[in-house]
Amino acid sequence: MKYALTTINRNMALMLLGLLLLGGCQPQNLRPDATASETTATNTQELREKAVQAYNKGDWETAERAYVQLTEQVPKEADSWFRLGNIYARQGRPADAIAAYQETLVRKPKHAKAWHNMGIVQLRQASNSFMYLEDVTEPDDPLHERATLLLDTMTQLLESDFGGTATAPPAEAAAN
């Protein structure tokens, strides 16, 4: 009987020790650290300022890096995606520009300037297609005549939109 009580006491002591040790593994503060979130907000604001400054200077590489980081840090924010689309359009990267404008529209479906700029980039791509079609067809081919007509029409549209140049960048926005 004495052996049974000693075994029970030892087992209880081991169990209590185990619970105490496990209790030490519990997180002490379940609330997020306020200073960590304040630091993140400050870093995001500083990054945003850096991005805007680079964008306004036309430093597309620096602006691109900063806006890519912003889209990672604040992925639901439409404005960073919009600016990234403009940067890609200015760098002659239409597929990337369209993808960024589409991301803008996922977040803000009524973003008029994103719709406009995406349409301009797509219109430029279409005009390039008709320019190549014009080059690869003979002058007596009906597709050649159609390509010429469409190319002339699109060039007029692009020039009227940008005051005489079909190669001007898409519309700017203050971050709308």
Side-chain angles (χ1 to χ4, degrees):
M1 179 87 162
K2 184 178 175 185
Y3 175 75
L5 286 175
T6 306
T7 304
I8 291 172
N9 286 340
R10 189 171 21 155
N11 287 342
M12 294 264 295
L14 288 173
M15 228 168 68
L16 284 172
L17 181 62
L19 288 171
L20 287 172
L21 290 173
L22 285 175
C25 295
Q26 293 290 332
Q28 298 302 312
N29 184 4
L30 297 177
R31 292 182 43 207
D33 185 7
T35 50
S37 82
E38 288 170 2
T39 301
T40 301
T42 301
N43 290 342
T44 300
Q45 186 56 34
E46 288 172 2
L47 184 58
R48 188 173 285 112
E49 289 170 11
K50 177 183 176 182
V52 169
Q53 286 175 359
Y55 185 93
N56 290 339
K57 287 180 186 175
D59 181 357
W60 306 128
E61 290 177 19
T62 302
E64 177 186 357
R65 280 192 303 274
Y67 279 114
V68 165
Q69 286 180 317
L70 282 169
T71 62
E72 291 167 353
Q73 286 182 14
V74 193
K76 293 181 180 180
E77 188 177 279
D79 296 337
S80 296
W81 288 103
F82 176 72
R83 285 288 180 102
L84 199 52
N86 288 350
I87 291 165
Y88 292 146
R90 288 178 174 272
Q91 291 176 328
R93 296 164 55 187
D96 292 333
I98 290 168
Y101 292 137
Q102 288 172 337
E103 290 293 335
T104 303
L105 295 167
V106 164
R107 287 149 182 82
K108 191 174 179 184
K110 293 184 179 184
H111 195 296
K113 290 183 180 180
W115 282 110
H116 173 268
N117 290 2
M118 185 169 64
I120 295 298
V121 171
Q122 291 170 328
L123 189 57
R124 286 182 186 157
Q125 286 182 308
S127 67
N128 285 338
S129 295
F130 288 112
M131 184 173 59
Y132 289 119
L133 176 60
E134 194 178 45
D135 286 345
V136 299
T137 54
E138 296 297 323
D140 60 341
D141 186 330
L143 286 177
H144 181 84
E145 185 178 330
R146 181 130 175 98
T148 301
L149 176 65
L150 289 168
L151 184 57
D152 289 345
T153 303
M154 284 187 269
T155 301
Q156 286 176 346
L157 283 172
L158 288 168
E159 286 177 351
S160 68
D161 191 37
F162 298 121
T165 172
T167 59
E172 291 298 320
N176 293 358

